[in-house]
Amino acid sequence: MKRPSRRNQIIIVLFAALLVVVDFVFGPYIQFPVFFVLPVMLAAWYCGAMLAVGLALALGLARFLCHWYWSFPMDFMPAIVNNVLRVIALLMVGYGTAFVSKTIRDLRKRVSVLEQQLPVCKDCGLIQTANGEWVPVESLEVKSEYAHTSCPHCQDKRYGSIN
Ligand SMILES: [Zn+2]
């Protein structure tokens, strides 16, 4: 994994600190049902952003109706603000998860295509690098599935040296 830049670390920590300040300013009235993120993440991961958005809106509304049913002592405006913040947070989780899911699927496809183009010795599993060198591979999966050629050493062993 690429080493995270110091600048990004500082920005993220400052963002967290800003959230603490915002949380303090709003007082004890901001409420977020943590477990609502799970179905939104699952929807985004397996079904894409559309279902995640729908769930984010539906869950936000459901929570709003719960407050109304509980007759929870909260004024109308803070309740609306809470609901909007809940939906925004769930939408961010949904879009983020959908983005990561799509990126991983695209990368897997790309790796699969590249693996199929990789020259792998069908006998010993050595892989030919771009400069023609044959090197060992750690992944046995690659060896068994994509092997379609032989390195010079194994050609000599199998068919005998021409020289
Ligand atoms: Zn070989």
Side-chain angles (χ1 to χ4, degrees):
M1 192 182 142
K2 208 180 100 187
R3 197 181 143 80
S5 77
R6 173 66 77 196
R7 187 174 156 268
N8 287 352
Q9 289 173 329
I10 291 170
I11 289 172
I12 291 168
V13 170
L14 287 177
F15 180 61
L18 176 71
L19 290 181
V20 171
V21 172
V22 169
D23 192 46
F24 178 78
V25 169
F26 274 97
Y29 304 108
I30 298 296
Q31 298 161 351
F32 187 79
V34 193
F35 295 114
F36 280 9
V37 299
L38 295 176
V40 172
M41 286 180 82
L42 289 171
W45 188 268
Y46 292 108
C47 312
M50 283 303 289
L51 182 63
V53 168
L55 277 180
L57 296 171
L59 290 169
L61 179 66
R63 180 68 182 214
F64 186 74
L65 293 175
C66 287
H67 275 264
W68 174 73
Y69 178 79
W70 293 328
S71 305
F72 189 78
M74 188 185 275
D75 292 335
F76 188 70
M77 270 319 283
I80 291 288
V81 169
N82 255 303
N83 198 48
V84 168
L85 291 177
R86 265 195 297 274
V87 170
I88 287 172
L90 289 172
L91 287 175
M92 289 190 325
V93 167
Y95 275 113
T97 306
F99 174 76
V100 170
S101 169
K102 187 186 178 323
T103 303
I104 287 178
R105 266 184 277 122
D106 290 349
L107 286 174
R108 278 187 185 148
K109 268 188 224 154
R110 197 175 149 82
V111 166
S112 172
V113 167
L114 290 175
E115 278 176 342
Q116 287 172 39
Q117 295 171 354
L118 202 63
V120 183
C121 174
K122 61 184 181 291
D123 297 314
C124 66
L126 289 184
I127 286 186
Q128 192 173 29
T129 61
N131 56 15
E133 198 181 343
W134 289 86
V135 295
V137 62
E138 287 121 24
S139 166
L140 291 172
E141 202 179 328
V142 170
K143 176 183 168 184
S144 60
E145 273 186 57
Y146 303 112
H148 53 76
T149 187
S150 291
C151 73
H153 175 75
C154 293
Q155 278 176 7
D156 286 351
K157 252 192 352 196
R158 179 175 287 230
Y159 306 112
S161 179
I162 301 169
N163 304 330

